[in-house]
Every structure is written in C-alpha cells, then in structure tokens.
Amino acid sequence: MKQHPGWHVIVFLAPAVLIYAAFSAWPLLDTLRLGFYVTDDVGHVTFAGLANFRKLLGDEQWSESFWNAMWNNIKFFGIHMAVQNPVALLLAALLSLRGLRGAATYRTLLFLPTLLSVVIIGFSWQLILSPLWGVSERMLSAVGLGEWFEPWLGQENTALPTLALVSVWQFIGVPMMLIYAAMIAIPDDIVEAAEVEGAGPWRIFWSIRLPLILPTLGLVTILTFVGNFNAFDLIYAVKGGMAGPNFSTDLLGTLFYRTFFGYQSQVGSATMGAAVATAMFAVILAGVAVYFLVIQRRLQRFAL
C-alpha cells in the first residue's frame, strides 16, 4: 500500500508540536484559566470570574502597583526604541559599507554582550556604577566630567533609565544583525544603478536602503516590544524582587514574580499572579495585533 506523503510531515512535526504543547501552550492556557479563580484562607480554589481583574485594576493598593509597573514598562520600551534601534540601524549601515576593514571583528564585539548571562551583566554594571568602588566616576573625572557622576542606580529618577541603557548595551547586537542581514540582501544592481546616476551614500541610504528594509525594521520593533514587556531578569539581578528604590524600577515581570511567588513579607498568590500574567499577555497580544493589523499592512502596501 502506498503511504500518504502527508504522514511524513506529521511524523516529522509531532515531536516539536508535543514539546511546544506540553511546555508552552498548555502552561499558558492553564495560567489564563487560573486567573479567573480565587484562593481562600485555607487554600481552596473557587471560580470567581473577573474578580481578580477588578481587584487588580480597581483596588487602590493593587491598581497603584499595576499602573506603576505598566508605566515603567512603557518607559523601558520607549528607551529601547529611542536608543537601541536607531543605534542598531546606524551600526548596521556602517558595517554594510563596502571595503570596511575589520567588519567581522566589529560585528563579533558588538554581538558578544548578547551571549553573556544577564546575572554577569547586572553584577558587572553594579560594580562599574558603584559610587564606592566603581570606575565610572574616575573615568568621567579623567575627561573633565566628574561632576556629572551620580549614584544612578540608587536614585528613583535615574535607576530605570540606567537599567534600560544597560539592557540596550547588552542586546543591541540582535537588532543590529537583523538589520545588517536585510541590508546585505539588497541587490547590488540597485545600489550600483543609483551610484551611476550620481547618488551619494546618504541619498542611497535614505532613498533605497531604508525603504527596502522597512519590513525588517517593523520586525525589530515588534520583537523589541515583546522582549521589553517580558523583561524581568536584569531588574531582578540588579534590584531584586522589590525593584527599588521605592519600586521605581518595577516592571510587570517583577510585579508578577512578587505576586505569584511572594517576596519577603508579601505572601504569594497563584491566582492573583495568574491575573497579572494574563494582563501582561493581553498587553503583548494587543501590541502584536496592532502591529500586524495596522503597521504590517501599511508596510506591505509600501513594498508593493
């Protein structure tokens, strides 16, 4: 009997689908389900509908923590969009120049921090920025900017931007390489034709290269959005679960951690933690939906 060719595809995909379902899809669905339940004092779990979400958004104590974390997440994402992606675009444009010496070495050095552990990155930058034994104050003093130094990680108004810039430094290699790959994929014939017409490097970049890599820039934007609204590890490594000082670096990820697992004097609640995780999922889903329904369609029309 001749075997149907579709079975080969099913057999090939089955292990990956089963692993994804067991370790990603099912935990996600179960977390969403758990957000609609409450736990009483003796540990009994009962269905409560939207009670957890009304508490999260309406209760004075919970809503203050939630909206503080949400606003911090927006600022964290905004710094990445304003610094990381433009700098990554500039670096990719420079690395894609013809005849650039040492381009492979530069790419490796710029991408290297991405491969390091977040714990190592956080601990290293704590040492560098420490007002007691760090080298940042002496480095600024060496160039005449010593009066600019402040304990940036210890102040409420500078702790979050400082950690965001540390995150930018670590992960800038990812958008840089994505944009670089898109740039070198542009056919040489197009660029050479523009050069023959007398277009300079900047005119070629703005009129040819940039429009052709817009889909990649859109992909980088949505990856930045998802990554930043899932951020947790750097904040926890540097500031712990309390995300100090005075919750000024608290993100949705750290709020979820304290709520679900508990931290210091705060007792953990699996059902409230699931509600926070569901709210995070809703925010990320909404952002991705806006990208695909609005931005991606416009980029496709522009490409056509």
Side-chain angles (χ1 to χ4, degrees):
M1 179 182 293
K2 188 176 180 180
Q3 195 174 26
H4 193 277
W7 284 106
H8 296 289
V9 178
I10 296 174
V11 172
F12 179 76
L13 294 178
V17 172
L18 290 174
I19 292 174
Y20 176 80
F23 295 101
S24 294
W26 172 250
L28 173 62
L29 294 175
D30 195 50
T31 299
L32 299 179
R33 177 195 64 82
L34 190 60
F36 295 95
Y37 288 77
V38 294
T39 307
D40 58 23
D41 296 334
V42 295
H44 292 156
V45 178
T46 55
F47 181 77
L50 298 175
N52 287 332
F53 301 99
R54 285 195 293 266
K55 183 177 181 180
L56 183 64
L57 300 176
D59 182 85
E60 183 177 352
Q61 180 181 358
W62 281 101
S63 63
E64 181 179 358
S65 298
F66 176 78
W67 290 114
N68 173 65
M70 175 67 77
W71 176 236
N72 287 338
N73 244 133
I74 293 173
K75 290 190 289 185
F76 197 76
F77 167 66
I79 291 172
H80 280 76
M81 284 297 299
V83 180
Q84 175 181 274
N85 293 351
V87 174
L89 175 61
L90 175 62
L91 292 174
L94 293 175
L95 291 174
S96 64
L97 292 176
R98 296 178 183 178
L100 179 65
R101 285 188 172 184
T105 302
Y106 297 142
R107 290 198 304 269
T108 302
L109 292 175
L110 290 168
F111 193 78
L112 187 61
T114 306
L115 305 178
L116 299 177
S117 167
V118 175
V119 176
I120 295 175
I121 295 295
F123 182 72
S124 299
W125 277 100
Q126 273 187 295
L127 293 179
I128 293 171
L129 298 176
S130 171
L132 298 178
W133 53 74
V135 298
S136 54
E137 184 175 9
R138 279 174 286 177
M139 292 177 64
L140 288 174
S141 299
V143 294
L145 300 175
E147 68 277 3
W148 287 24
F149 177 79
E150 295 180 7
W152 292 300
L153 289 176
Q155 300 179 143
E156 292 186 24
N157 60 328
T158 58
L160 183 66
T162 302
L163 289 174
L165 292 175
V166 170
S167 177
V168 166
W169 174 83
Q170 180 180 9
F171 294 110
I172 197 170
V174 175
M176 180 196 73
M177 292 304 295
L178 290 173
I179 298 171
Y180 172 76
M183 282 190 169
I184 63 175
I186 296 174
D188 292 336
D189 296 344
I190 300 176
V191 178
E192 291 172 356
E195 291 175 346
V196 170
E197 294 294 329
W202 280 108
R203 181 60 183 270
I204 292 174
F205 174 78
W206 289 109
S207 301
I208 298 176
R209 293 183 182 272
L210 187 61
L212 290 176
I213 64 169
L214 282 179
T216 301
L217 294 179
L219 175 63
V220 167
T221 299
I222 197 61
L223 290 177
T224 303
F225 174 79
V226 174
N228 282 281
F229 274 84
N230 275 317
F232 165 77
D233 41 11
L234 179 63
I235 305 297
Y236 186 80
V238 177
K239 288 299 181 180
M242 297 303 290
N246 194 27
F247 300 106
S248 60
T249 59
D250 197 20
L251 304 181
L252 292 173
T254 49
L255 175 63
F256 162 74
Y257 175 83
R258 289 197 311 274
T259 305
F260 195 97
F261 297 102
Y263 194 82
Q264 295 183 356
S265 60
Q266 181 175 344
V267 179
S269 170
T271 53
M272 268 313 285
V276 175
T278 302
M280 291 175 60
F281 176 75
V283 171
I284 294 172
L285 184 64
V288 173
V290 169
Y291 168 75
F292 280 108
L293 295 177
V294 180
I295 300 176
Q296 184 68 16
R297 285 186 178 181
R298 291 185 177 179
L299 289 177
Q300 288 176 347
R301 287 198 213 103
F302 184 83
L304 294 174

